[in-house]
Amino acid sequence: MTFSTFIKAAALATVVFLPANAALAKDDLVVNLVNEPATLDPHMQWNPDSYYVYRNIFDNLVTRDDAGEIVPQVAESWKQLSDTELELDIREGITFHDGEALTADDVVYSVKRITDPEFSSPQLGQFNSIIDAKKIDEDTVVLTTKSPYPALLAQLVKLSIVPEHIASKLGKEGFNEAPVGSGPYKFAGWDRGVQVKLTRNDAYWGEQGAFKTVTFKSVPDASTRVANLRAGTADLVVSLDSDLAMQLEGSTEAQVLSAPTERVGFMGMNTLVAPLDDPEIRRAAAMAIDREGIVEGILRGGETVASQMATSAHFGFVDSAEPIPFDLEKAREIVEAKGDAAKVPMKFATSPVYDQRIVQAIQQMLNEAGFDVEISMTDMATYLKSAQNPDQNARPQLSFGRWSCACQDVDGVQYPLLHSSSNWSRVNDPELDALLETGRTTLDKEARLAAYAQVQKIVADNTYIMPLYQAAALYGASKGLEWQPTANESLFLNRMSWKD
């Protein structure tokens, strides 16, 4: 069996779901993450290890079903009142884990909390088009945006509702230590550096979880995660690479589950500091990277070369875009011509959550072109803090990342990474800013597509960022786990079940 056939077979192996109340042979599901969560406050982080856990503690305003369609959650229906006003009907009968009812006031509080600049949410750039949230009555909230915002509903997929009576009293740190939501699982404890424990919310208004408890463990080494799966001490492990997935081929106790994602792997470049403030040097760095070699020779898990910071699943994807060609000799010529200006030592930031084979390959490719690149490995929390440092000079010149907005709209990818106002951006281009603002403030689809076509041209012409590949997610799972991964990379525990 070829690996591609194996992956397809594995992905189809879990299409059947058991009823939520089916008899189970397992009470505790053990999940191996790469790192422990950076935070369990859903308004304070969007990294995978945090999201995997807290998304099961909280309900969001809306969500996506397994087919990727936006469907009700806290908001059971909605309607556009005007170009800038969205009315949300809040579902009755939802209670937080402390027994208090979730109300329209909690929705308003959650929106204002995450959009408050002083709160400093890393997700602010995805929600700062919202300028007001008002309670109309006990079941109705109206959101107002500063201008038409066509990606609003898609972004609200990520907006978790927190209880005002708890979060407002505990503050950021306190709420992170003891998060209370209304989701299908409750926070039960956090042994720092080791594990987070959740228990099933038996009073949940929606579909019940199949497992009484779920334990998320931090296991940075991927080989150890696979060993745990084989030994039966883990039931689900994340972030496999193709080599590890192949080790599970033919296993009697484990399976590989996969799904193409909205996530784009990329090399970030700090265009505001030397030597990458020179567009010719950025171009040389981009030309030095053999993306096909990375996809076909290293990843081999269903990934494809990316021509832009978007996938075909995103609104605003430019079909005609071509990836920057690999040309090592041309890259070397540019570096040599630039001399010492191109040979400034550069830090290449990464974290264990990422595939270090790719990071090391990129480092080698850049150094072969004449650059002086050193890998800087830190834990995910430190990596994220560095990436958002307001002092550009304190940020690394290079970084490896994989970005997904889970919104299927390029606004959620390109605005935070490229607009000068974003705390993630390393670019300052007024023309680019204006086009990104047009893309997120007009309801005219054709005008949006035209704006994003121009965005792609400017980004490519200036080599502001280096898209590498569209990622595929590979998971290892016990044979008994019934679950189909989705493009948004969510681990919805109440969509999983167990079969002996």
Side-chain angles (χ1 to χ4, degrees):
M1 179 186 290
T2 66
F3 179 67
S4 60
T5 303
F6 161 65
I7 288 296
K8 290 177 182 177
L12 293 172
T14 57
V15 173
V16 179
F17 289 84
L18 291 180
N21 59 358
L24 298 174
K26 191 168 191 64
D27 286 336
D28 182 51
L29 184 77
V30 178
V31 182
N32 280 186
L33 306 179
V34 180
N35 298 297
E36 72 173 342
T39 177
L40 293 180
D41 184 331
H43 297 167
M44 283 309 298
Q45 202 46 262
W46 180 244
N47 72 77
D49 291 311
S50 297
Y51 179 74
Y52 289 149
V53 180
Y54 75 61
R55 186 60 182 89
N56 292 286
I57 299 173
F58 297 90
D59 286 321
N60 287 9
L61 263 178
V62 292
T63 191
R64 289 190 186 274
D65 61 19
D66 287 342
E69 297 298 320
I70 296 175
V71 295
Q73 197 158 65
V74 171
E76 61 181 349
S77 63
W78 49 86
K79 63 182 177 182
Q80 200 77 37
L81 299 180
S82 69
D83 285 353
T84 59
E85 294 177 301
L86 179 70
E87 182 179 273
L88 302 163
D89 293 323
I90 307 306
R91 187 184 302 273
E92 295 182 7
I94 301 179
T95 58
F96 289 112
H97 299 151
D98 66 346
E100 293 293 318
L102 185 154
T103 69
D105 291 314
D106 297 301
V107 173
V108 170
Y109 172 77
S110 298
V111 173
K112 291 191 172 183
R113 184 178 191 252
I114 203 169
T115 57
D116 180 0
E118 293 188 5
F119 183 73
S120 300
S121 171
Q123 303 174 56
L124 178 61
Q126 300 176 58
F127 297 107
N128 61 0
S129 286
I130 303 172
I131 59 172
D132 198 14
K134 287 186 178 179
K135 171 184 171 182
I136 304 305
D137 57 40
E138 293 304 317
D139 303 314
T140 310
V141 170
V142 171
L143 303 184
T144 303
T145 55
K146 57 188 173 185
S147 58
Y149 185 37
L152 179 59
L153 257 184
Q155 297 288 23
L156 294 179
V157 165
K158 298 170 289 185
L159 185 62
S160 296
I161 305 306
V162 303
E164 180 180 12
H165 66 282
I166 294 177
S168 62
K169 292 179 181 178
L170 294 182
K172 284 185 190 178
E173 291 304 317
F175 193 63
N176 176 43
E177 295 288 338
V180 175
S182 62
Y185 280 82
K186 304 177 183 180
F187 174 74
W190 189 349
D191 184 1
R192 294 286 182 159
V194 181
Q195 65 184 36
V196 177
K197 194 89 169 180
L198 305 183
T199 59
R200 185 171 60 203
N201 176 14
D202 291 329
Y204 188 56
W205 61 272
E207 186 174 354
Q208 294 285 312
F211 307 97
K212 291 182 180 179
T213 61
V214 180
T215 305
F216 291 90
K217 294 188 175 184
S218 169
V219 184
D221 181 69
S223 297
T224 303
R225 294 197 295 276
V226 171
N228 290 345
L229 181 64
R230 285 185 174 279
T233 57
D235 304 302
L236 175 63
V237 302
V238 305
S239 299
L240 295 188
D241 60 40
S242 55
D243 290 342
L244 289 169
M246 288 185 70
Q247 293 178 21
L248 297 175
E249 185 172 1
S251 170
T252 58
E253 67 275 348
Q255 59 183 321
V256 174
L257 308 178
S258 72
T261 73
E262 298 174 36
R263 191 173 296 277
V264 179
F266 67 97
M267 183 179 75
M269 295 185 281
N270 191 338
T271 71
L272 303 177
V273 299
L276 297 172
D277 54 350
D278 183 333
E280 289 186 80
I281 292 177
R282 296 197 298 271
R283 189 75 177 179
M287 294 174 73
I289 299 175
D290 181 2
R291 286 179 287 190
E292 287 190 1
I294 290 171
V295 166
E296 297 174 7
I298 298 176
L299 292 169
R300 297 175 295 142
E303 296 81 2
T304 55
V305 171
S307 62
Q308 58 202 281
M309 288 304 299
T311 74
S312 58
H314 290 87
F315 178 90
F317 179 79
V318 179
D319 288 323
S320 60
E322 294 289 338
I324 295 170
F326 168 56
D327 192 334
L328 180 58
E329 291 307 313
K330 181 63 176 176
R332 283 174 174 162
E333 289 176 13
I334 296 172
V335 172
E336 285 303 314
K338 290 291 180 178
D340 291 343
K343 297 178 181 180
V344 175
M346 291 191 287
K347 295 289 187 182
F348 188 11
T350 184
S351 175
V353 72
Y354 300 126
D355 189 335
Q356 296 309 302
R357 299 174 306 166
I358 302 171
V359 176
Q360 292 163 10
I362 292 174
Q363 178 201 28
Q364 181 178 347
M365 292 171 187
L366 292 171
N367 286 341
E368 285 179 358
F371 291 103
D372 182 2
V373 177
E374 179 183 351
I375 293 173
S376 175
M377 172 80 80
T378 62
D379 63 86
M380 194 62 174
T382 303
Y383 169 92
L384 292 168
K385 185 177 180 180
S386 174
Q388 300 170 75
N389 194 315
D391 180 3
Q392 289 288 352
N393 291 311
R395 295 186 184 190
Q397 293 103 324
L398 297 166
S399 61
F400 179 79
R402 299 188 313 145
W403 190 278
S404 172
C405 66
C407 62
Q408 297 183 339
D409 192 296
V410 297
D411 173 78
V413 180
Q414 296 179 3
Y415 192 96
L417 287 177
L418 299 168
H419 194 279
S420 62
S421 68
S422 169
N423 56 357
W424 294 100
S425 174
R426 303 176 182 96
V427 179
N428 189 350
D429 184 327
E431 182 182 5
L432 181 62
D433 283 354
L435 288 164
L436 290 167
E437 289 161 12
T438 296
R440 70 160 30 189
T441 59
T442 177
L443 299 179
D444 185 328
K445 290 186 177 180
E446 294 305 315
R448 294 192 74 210
L449 290 173
Y452 288 126
Q454 282 297 107
V455 165
Q456 170 57 24
K457 184 176 187 307
I458 290 173
V459 171
D461 288 349
N462 292 277
T463 323
Y464 282 140
I465 198 167
M466 181 58 176
L468 298 170
Y469 60 91
Q470 178 182 356
L474 295 175
Y475 308 86
S478 298
K479 284 287 190 181
L481 185 67
E482 299 282 329
W483 173 56
Q484 176 60 55
T486 57
N488 61 22
E489 302 176 75
S490 298
L491 302 186
F492 289 112
L493 298 173
N494 64 335
R495 300 184 192 181
M496 300 178 184
S497 58
W498 190 269
K499 182 180 180 181
D500 282 331

